[in-house]
Amino acid sequence: MTGRADAARPAAVVVGGGLAGITAALRLAEAGHRVTLAEGRPRLGGLAFSFRRGELTVDNGQHVYLRCCTAYRGLLERLGANRLVHLQERLDVPVLGVSGPADAPVRTLGRLGRAALPVPLHLAGSLARYPHLGPADRARVVRGALALQRLDLADPALDAVSFGDWLRRQGQNERTVAALWDLVGVATLNARADRVSLALAAMVFKTGLLSDPGASDIGMAAVPLGTIHHDRALAELERAGVKVLLRARVAELKPAVPQHTVRLEGGGEPLTAETVVLAGAQDTALELLPPDAVAHQDRLAGFGTSPILNVHVVYDRKVLRRPFFAALGSPVQWVFDRTAHSGLAGTSLGAAHPDAQYLALSQSAVDDEIDLPVAELRRRYLPELARLLPAAGGAEVLDFFVTRERTATFDPAPGTAALRPGPRTAVPGLLLAGAWTATGWPATMEGAVRSGHAAADAVPAADGRPRPADRGDGRWPR
């Protein structure tokens, strides 16, 4: 009886096992569909994953989220992973500025944080004490923040303007851009102000800094990303009845009504389903989409990408005494202590060097560095770490390697909004998901999860019952 009941439920295929695909598959299964998730790689998680390097567990890059990322936090709750992450009680970002030559650097430590006060007063005290800007530049930042608050995020004209041009019109200068606007913007948007759509930048700053006092509190995984995005996700997908196919790359999509056919590389029985969700990157979706499935589809080929480089260094001793910091006056952007996450202490390297520390540098918007040889990156970044961290100058480097995501995010340039399709296509039952789709968010874990929700919400529930009410903030529906 169970087999016949299962066969009577409408089928859905989700192509792509990143956060968008995981979200869409879980939601569709909860709505009564028979779901198959096909992922070409041997693991789930998309571009937020872990791998083994010898005895070390390595995240491909440092991924953080904010308290305002309610959809991603909802996914964590749905996966039972709330205890596997750490969310700051209150925003606190150490910002280490450095100037002068390598043999006599001048280091200045400041902090960006918040108080328990209403917006925008919650940031006033931190800004008043911020040593990387003088009084006149702090006043400029306040003027810019007040102007941001007045922007209407629904105004399509914002997408035609670069954030950098807008900042200059608000009286910002090179110092305020470097010490604040790009410090935050490069990490969240993966591009510098002059190359970012004002619409996306305004969304990031208004939502993250100017919506709620706690919106910008920083969260990050306390375990390897794969523990959450693969292990926990796989367990919950299978518990929900989703059939997960790994190493199952989709070769062809043949749309038809009432059933679409999905053919996998290597042969085997094709998958058929009334609903197909393409939840991969934009280039993958473009390869599989039939002609004229979305408006201006020919323009998707010009939807650019932006890279992220991660530099990994293992020292023989502790050189950093805080979980992370941002850097100014250096090519180094953000540095994170990955010692505990990687399991370094339990390796033979850790046994030989009990005080060893593993640091990861997260470098966004690095088009000019993404393809540099490892030796060149070593020559570039080790001296800079010694310039920032005195203890690094006398430490032995036990390991040095890099991870590269050449197409980490979509390019958030002005005009981007017109290129981002919504979840529905012109083909009945064929939907799109992914951080690159029209979520209103930049290419983040939050945007990916929201896109998965949007795709699932576009599919009628299998049993005809009303869907759970959307809470309006991306959280998992109840």
Side-chain angles (χ1 to χ4, degrees):
M1 293 295 294
T2 303
R4 251 181 268 160
D6 286 345
R9 292 186 295 147
V13 172
V14 176
V15 180
L19 302 188
I22 291 167
T23 302
L26 283 171
R27 287 288 314 283
L28 289 170
E30 290 172 353
H33 295 265
R34 288 183 294 117
V35 183
T36 300
L37 187 154
E39 167 56 55
R41 288 163 288 204
R43 42 85 189 155
L44 301 173
L47 293 180
F49 67 94
S50 305
F51 64 94
R52 296 287 291 180
R53 175 183 165 85
E55 297 176 277
L56 283 179
T57 301
V58 177
D59 286 348
N60 70 311
Q62 178 64 51
H63 295 261
V64 303
Y65 64 96
L66 304 181
R67 191 180 295 276
C68 64
C69 294
T70 48
Y72 179 67
R73 291 172 60 203
L75 177 63
L76 292 174
E77 182 180 356
R78 176 64 182 80
L79 299 181
N82 280 341
R83 295 186 178 181
L84 303 181
V85 297
H86 171 72
L87 180 60
Q88 291 179 333
E89 293 184 7
R90 190 172 294 178
L91 174 70
D92 182 21
V93 179
V95 183
L96 180 59
V98 63
S99 60
D103 58 349
V106 177
R107 304 178 182 94
T108 305
L109 179 64
R111 306 189 92 87
L112 290 172
R114 70 170 179 92
L117 293 171
V119 172
L121 297 178
H122 67 308
L123 300 175
S126 174
L127 183 60
R129 296 185 297 271
Y130 193 50
H132 304 304
L133 292 174
D137 287 333
R138 293 173 195 156
R140 288 187 175 91
V141 167
V142 171
R143 192 185 321 149
L146 293 175
L148 270 173
Q149 276 193 308
R150 293 191 293 270
L151 292 178
D152 179 5
L153 296 183
D155 183 358
L158 299 186
D159 188 53
V161 179
S162 92
F163 186 40
D165 286 345
W166 183 87
L167 286 173
R168 283 185 285 273
R169 290 202 297 272
Q170 309 309 315
Q172 306 305 299
N173 57 27
E174 289 185 8
R175 291 185 299 277
T176 61
V177 171
L180 184 70
W181 303 114
D182 265 353
L183 184 78
V184 175
V186 169
T188 53
L189 294 158
N190 199 17
R192 301 194 181 278
D194 280 334
R195 294 188 55 182
V196 171
S197 158
L198 174 59
L200 278 173
M203 183 273 160
V204 165
F205 283 95
K206 287 192 71 171
T207 304
L209 292 176
L210 301 171
S211 63
D212 180 87
S216 57
D217 300 342
I218 295 175
M220 63 186 75
V223 296
L225 288 172
T227 301
I228 301 172
H229 298 159
H230 176 78
D231 298 345
R232 285 298 179 97
L234 182 60
E236 286 304 311
L237 286 164
E238 292 179 340
R239 188 175 290 117
V242 177
K243 183 179 181 180
V244 179
L245 305 177
L246 300 176
R247 295 186 175 89
R249 191 173 302 279
V250 173
E252 184 182 22
L253 167 65
K254 292 183 177 180
V257 178
Q259 284 200 327
H260 308 299
T261 300
V262 175
R263 185 173 61 81
L264 303 178
E265 288 184 359
E269 189 69 23
L271 306 174
T272 58
E274 294 91 332
T275 298
V276 174
V277 180
L278 300 181
Q282 61 255 40
D283 56 346
T284 304
L286 186 58
E287 291 174 2
L288 295 174
L289 276 175
D292 303 318
V294 298
H296 312 296
Q297 188 166 322
D298 56 322
R299 295 173 58 190
L300 283 180
F303 195 4
T305 58
S306 188
I308 294 178
L309 175 73
N310 287 271
V311 176
H312 308 259
V313 189
V314 181
Y315 290 101
D316 69 339
R317 67 196 70 176
K318 194 174 185 69
V319 300
L320 175 64
R321 301 193 179 279
R322 51 182 60 90
F324 69 94
F325 72 92
L328 287 177
S330 169
V332 171
Q333 295 176 14
W334 291 76
V335 181
F336 296 85
D337 181 357
R338 302 292 305 169
T339 308
H341 306 70
S342 66
L344 175 61
T347 67
S348 55
L349 193 63
H353 302 274
D355 297 324
Q357 187 174 36
Y358 169 13
L359 302 184
L361 284 62
S362 182
Q363 303 290 117
S364 301
V366 284
D367 300 77
D368 58 338
E369 293 187 357
I370 192 65
D371 291 317
L372 289 180
V374 172
E376 174 59 29
L377 293 169
R378 183 183 179 111
R379 285 192 295 269
R380 181 170 300 199
Y381 282 105
L382 288 182
E384 282 299 320
L385 281 170
R387 192 164 161 254
L388 288 160
L389 303 170
E396 179 186 353
V397 175
L398 302 177
D399 197 5
F400 182 100
F401 59 99
V402 301
T403 52
R404 313 171 200 257
E405 295 295 343
R406 291 177 173 81
T407 58
T409 68
F410 65 81
D411 182 358
T416 296
L419 298 176
R420 300 176 72 181
R424 299 179 186 273
T425 73
V427 180
L430 178 59
L431 299 133
L432 296 174
W436 62 280
T437 60
T439 65
W441 284 70
T444 57
M445 296 189 296
E446 176 73 7
V449 175
R450 286 181 180 247
S451 77
H453 282 303
D457 285 338
V459 182
D463 56 9
R465 291 183 299 177
R467 288 191 173 280
D470 183 352
R471 303 184 190 186
D473 59 5
R475 289 188 294 168
W476 208 270
R478 296 295 187 192

